[in-house]
Amino acid sequence: MAMADPSRAQMTDGLGRRISYLRISVTDRCDLRCRYCMAEKMQFLPKNQVLTLEEIALLADLFVARGINKIRLTGGEPLVRRDIGDLVRRIGRHLGSGLDELTLTTNGTQLADHADMLADAGVRRINVSLDSRDPARFAHVTRGGDIAAVFAGLKAAQSAGLAIKINMVALKGINDDEILQMLRWCDAEGLDLTLIETMPLGETGEDRTDHYLPLSQVADDIRARHALTPLPDRTGGPARYHAVAGMTARLGLITPLTNNFCADCNRIRMTCEGKIFMCLGHEDHVDFKTALREGGLAAVEPLIDRALRLKPAHHNFRIGAGETAPATRRHMSVTGG
């Protein structure tokens, strides 16, 4: 395992932003086909192009040694990766020794079988993507998903002691009439809720403009019934949190389109191919997999500094009339959100 060098204890990009948060996509595969995220018929990567779990663990070791103190495992759906528990436990060994937090974003369908493992490995909170509580609507958004599996996963995660935040993509004409209901349900269940604006990533076979819903409008609708008070709380990601009058649930807003949050970005993303993307909305990347397989970790380490220099000032997300092409060819499931 790479050992931390105090002289390199922090990573800083070319704009002076401290980079402390790594999101690792462990697979591009998913058992759902959410309409805003993936095409109905996806072509997934062949196995030999995907990092092994050992390779992911080695790269995680290196990043922790370089100053990353938070890691989030994502996908696709991370819990469909075979032997995912081995990776979670391996990375979890860094907790308290350079790593402050290990978290996971999941669609919840496999959570019932993995919640205890996650808690035992040191995971304390997770994000669960859930865009509707209505079974028929959930099946429509996910192209066939069974919401009962998600509810079972949530119950198992709560029993395991995991704190849960629901991630809900706000979709005009699809779930906009359900947002306040979702917030009230989260409050009753002891969960937090984060709302997310749809992002123009990858061709999905549908026009995102038709369903784009500005969260400024959603927040105004909620304020008409519950006062919102901005909170200083931060969890390392882009969400801005609010207290909701009459509720214990926090409301998070992720607004890449209506309120750009890039100025204090602290994140980098590694795909399951070992590509480091410094920004979700740009194609520029550095290939760690080739370097690792040809020269080991010694060949990878100089590439970290190259990647830091590539991090742009902001993304280029745009949506609306005249914006027909996605910001990137990559689907959200490839980069891991």
Side-chain angles (χ1 to χ4, degrees):
M1 182 179 70
M3 300 300 293
D5 180 344
S7 67
R8 298 180 289 113
Q10 292 190 353
M11 296 195 301
T12 304
D13 71 6
L15 297 171
R17 293 172 294 194
R18 162 87 164 92
I19 306 302
S20 58
Y21 181 6
L22 173 65
R23 299 190 182 199
I24 301 175
S25 174
V26 301
T27 179
D28 64 330
R29 296 174 184 269
C30 187
D31 52 351
L32 301 179
R33 296 290 184 274
C34 295
R35 293 174 181 274
Y36 56 82
C37 179
M38 306 174 76
E40 186 169 8
K41 295 182 179 180
M42 292 289 293
Q43 183 172 351
F44 296 113
L45 293 167
K47 185 176 180 180
N48 66 352
Q49 291 186 26
V50 176
L51 292 173
T52 66
L53 295 182
E54 174 65 17
E55 289 171 328
I56 294 174
L58 288 171
L59 290 170
D61 293 345
L62 179 58
F63 273 109
V64 172
R66 286 295 304 263
I68 289 292
N69 59 32
K70 176 178 177 177
I71 291 177
R72 177 178 297 278
L73 302 179
T74 70
E77 168 49 47
L79 296 181
V80 303
R81 179 84 190 249
R82 182 177 297 180
D83 298 326
I84 184 63
D86 294 342
L87 178 65
V88 177
R89 286 185 287 268
R90 167 73 178 270
I91 297 176
R93 294 172 189 166
H94 289 293
L95 289 166
S97 300
L99 190 65
D100 296 333
E101 186 175 36
L102 174 62
T103 63
L104 176 118
T105 294
T106 173
N107 64 29
T109 59
Q110 310 293 319
L111 193 51
D113 294 331
H114 293 89
D116 288 336
M117 174 275 292
L118 294 171
D120 290 344
V123 175
R124 294 294 172 260
R125 63 185 185 90
I126 59 174
N127 292 354
V128 177
S129 299
L130 180 63
D131 301 313
S132 175
R133 291 170 48 241
D134 177 82
R137 186 176 290 180
F138 179 84
H140 170 74
V141 172
T142 60
R143 297 189 176 106
D146 179 8
I147 200 170
V150 180
F151 286 145
L154 290 171
K155 182 178 180 179
Q158 288 177 309
S159 296
L162 298 174
I164 302 168
K165 179 165 67 70
I166 298 297
N167 284 347
M168 180 183 191
V169 177
L171 300 166
K172 183 175 67 175
I174 295 181
N175 65 3
D176 46 347
D177 62 339
E178 197 177 344
I179 291 174
L180 186 57
Q181 297 173 30
M182 183 74 82
L183 177 58
R184 290 171 175 167
W185 174 76
C186 285
D187 182 59
E189 293 292 321
L191 316 175
D192 287 333
L193 174 66
T194 289
L195 302 175
I196 306 171
E197 290 176 340
T198 186
M199 301 182 204
L201 297 171
E203 294 289 354
T204 64
E206 302 198 5
D207 187 349
R208 291 184 177 91
T209 303
D210 290 344
H211 300 300
Y212 168 58
L213 181 60
L215 288 187
S216 54
Q217 176 183 326
V218 174
D220 286 343
D221 292 342
I222 293 173
R223 285 190 189 97
R225 297 167 177 83
H226 300 272
L228 299 181
T229 304
L231 294 170
D233 304 15
R234 298 298 301 275
T235 59
R240 301 297 184 265
Y241 291 96
H242 299 74
V244 185
M247 299 187 188
T248 58
R250 295 182 308 169
L251 175 66
L253 302 176
I254 296 181
T255 54
L257 293 157
T258 58
N259 185 16
N260 185 287
F261 45 65
C262 298
D264 57 354
C265 181
N266 64 345
R267 299 170 294 287
I268 57 176
R269 296 168 171 82
M270 184 170 76
T271 73
C272 61
E273 285 186 283
K275 294 179 179 178
I276 295 292
F277 285 88
M278 301 303 293
C279 178
L280 190 59
H282 286 259
E283 296 285 7
D284 292 341
H285 65 274
V286 177
D287 181 5
F288 279 26
K289 179 181 69 180
T290 299
L292 179 65
R293 291 181 176 178
E294 293 181 356
L297 288 176
V300 172
E301 187 152 0
L303 297 182
I304 294 178
D305 298 307
R306 178 183 170 193
L308 289 170
R309 291 193 297 270
L310 285 175
K311 190 165 179 65
H314 54 78
H315 62 67
N316 289 325
F317 291 151
R318 293 182 298 274
I319 205 165
E323 298 292 343
T324 58
T328 72
R329 294 185 299 274
R330 303 184 323 277
H331 290 89
M332 177 73 80
S333 59
V334 173
T335 319

